[in-house]
Amino acid sequence: MKITSLLIISASLIVVPLTAQNTHRQAPAGFDVANIGIPHGKIDSIQYPSKTVGVTRKALIYTPPGFKKGNKYPVLYLLHGIGGDEKEWYKNGTPQIILDNLYAQGKLTPMIIVLPNGRAMKDDRATGNIMAKDKVEAFATFEKDLLNDLIPYIENKFPVKKDRDNRAIAGLSMGGGQTLNFGLGNIDKFAWVGGFSSAPNTKEPQKLLPDPAKAKNLKLLWISCGDADGLMPFSKRTHDYLAQNKIPHIFYIEPGGHDFKVWKNDLYIFSQLIFKPVDKSTFSDFTVLGLPAESNIRNAQYPQIMPNGKAIFRVKAPEAQKVQIDLGKKYDLTKDSDGVWKTTTDSLSEGFHYYSMVIDNVSVADPSSKTFYGMGRYASGIEVPFAGDGYYAMKDVPHGDIRIQNLFSKVTNSWRRVFIYTPPGYDKNTAESYPVLYILHGGGEDESGWAMQGKTNLIMDNLIAEGKAKPMIVVMPDANIGPAGFGSFGDRNLQMFDKELKESVIPFAEANFRIKKDAANRALAGLSMGGIYTLHTGVQNYNMFSSLGVFSSGWILPSLQEVADKEYKFMTDNQSQINSNIKNFWISMGGKEDIAYKNCQVMMKKLDNLGIKYTYSEYPGGHTWPVWRNNLYNFAQLLFK
């Protein structure tokens, strides 16, 4: 579906330009309209001998206004799509008009542009079945023709600079795929690479750049695509790989589909960036639009995440008087004439964020977002990707299952829900029993937290597939029991949860799933509130668990001083048994910005004084799900070994 409501972006949403270029983020009206009152460049047809193909081939060449044979010029090789030839850009993209206008405004470095036929075969016409095997293969053959025949001809016949720093390649669709394949495959030949709406001929990123660090030698790597283009996944997968490997590049997302309106805009922007100094530190600020957040409902285009981590929100509420987004910090939205409210946030930290939409002072869920139980209610959530999130990505590996079960608790005299992860092969390997990790959510969340926000199944699937963790069952119970608020950390709740786990959750899990029932094959972990429950139940029952994971937690002082003193007294009296039985007492924190950090440091000093053995780990990110996902990733690798 083409989205038209953000075709005009307010000035407040336009990001800061590259310091060396004063380019627009989108081409202004009239950029592709011929202006007779300015100097013009020249388009000529050339022919060059191709040893690769065995014939003389045709290309077009554009020389800039004021072209002089006594000067030396950089060169841009500009490639067409699968249904075109050397004249496609000339007929449909009017590069000569776009560039003439830019030269008249003093926005371009004088350059020569070569428009070749990228179908390297004897009959290279765009006729008949353009998808025929030999014609498609000819686009790959063009790499040799370009490097061994066309470039040497241009450098022999025209006054061009012959080093890589003065050689660029760009193209649209099929030509965009060629551009990435040839440009990234020959970084010693090209310093400027621009893929516009790259087609499926683009190689998979790992084949495109098996050594991604080499791409850091590029002056500019540009990847662009229209937000309504069905080929967006091919550009995004390349962008994701580059981002994961911290390769500077521009990922430019613009309004539009797979057409020359988009590609003419790409040429307008890209041509202004090449053969000039660029500030790579600002590349992530360059785009116009973002990509729909992973946490959106199906087909929802907003919220969008931009490469720099900013988020674009919008909602249609024509009768509303005031609309805000509450992400901890509140952002005011502005309304357009169609009753659509929109805003762009500051850069958000990586990972998962709860948020609310506030309409006329009433907090509601965003209708475009999935909802998650957090903050004591169902709230919207937005996921900001980052380079280190591959360990919970959906991958082509064997997958386990998340099962939702109901159990009746005699402790609470009520039905309770539990989420249970079973590893790949559980239903086939019916003779096999598995170790088990019981993992607890935090305050304001419920049993769905680790399955939904925590991505437990993906983390475990990937770890098991890589041989980094033993296949195990993960049980995610509802830890909400007794009074809410700080009362949930008191003696009564701690004892109730201890009883609930031992008398309801564990017996239910062991009766209904093939779980090994000894302490060596049983672990307990939890985050925040769940970490406090783990400290109590895990330590008090040191003969039941071989591993304890305490994530972003510690006794809250001074409010829980009396509780903490009782726990430390128990540890003092049972120090040798605790150290003997608990093989992995793993404590982790989200750095100094974690709200539990100070309490945890006090607790660990006390554990040191008591001689309790533990391991401490930090992962930056505060009191957030990216931290706890990473905690599970690392803790699971220690278990049952």
Side-chain angles (χ1 to χ4, degrees), residues 199-237:
N201 61 317
T202 304
K203 294 177 182 177
E204 294 179 5
Q206 295 79 3
K207 295 180 180 178
L208 197 62
L209 271 175
D211 182 2
K214 287 184 177 180
K216 293 181 179 180
N217 294 324
L218 292 170
K219 300 287 186 181
L220 171 63
L221 175 52
W222 163 288
I223 298 170
S224 60
C225 198
D227 68 331
D229 192 331
L231 296 184
M232 174 64 82
F234 297 99
S235 292
K236 183 180 182 298
R237 74 177 183 182

Side-chain angles (χ1 to χ4, degrees), residues 61 135 351 355 447 504:
I61 189 164
K135 292 188 177 182
Y355 76 94
E447 66 278 9
S504 297

Side-chain angles (χ1 to χ4, degrees), residues 17-39:
L18 297 175
T19 57
Q21 290 84 19
N22 294 316
T23 60
H24 293 89
R25 285 299 174 267
Q26 286 182 272
F31 78 103
D32 56 350
V33 176
N35 186 342
I36 61 173
I38 62 172

Side-chain angles (χ1 to χ4, degrees), residues 475-535:
V475 178
M476 298 161 267
D478 184 358
N480 293 304
I481 195 164
F486 277 108
S488 63
F489 306 115
D491 260 341
R492 180 173 178 274
N493 276 33
L494 292 172
Q495 291 170 15
M496 282 186 69
F497 178 77
D498 182 287
K499 189 176 178 67
E500 168 90 334
L501 184 68
K502 291 188 294 185
E503 296 184 12
S504 297
V505 176
I506 291 177
F508 174 84
E510 292 181 348
N512 290 278
F513 294 86
R514 298 192 308 278
I515 289 175
K516 295 180 179 179
K517 301 178 181 180
D518 59 313
N521 288 287
R522 188 185 297 126
L524 178 65
L527 69 90
S528 195
M529 179 189 80
I532 290 179
Y533 286 179
T534 297
L535 283 167

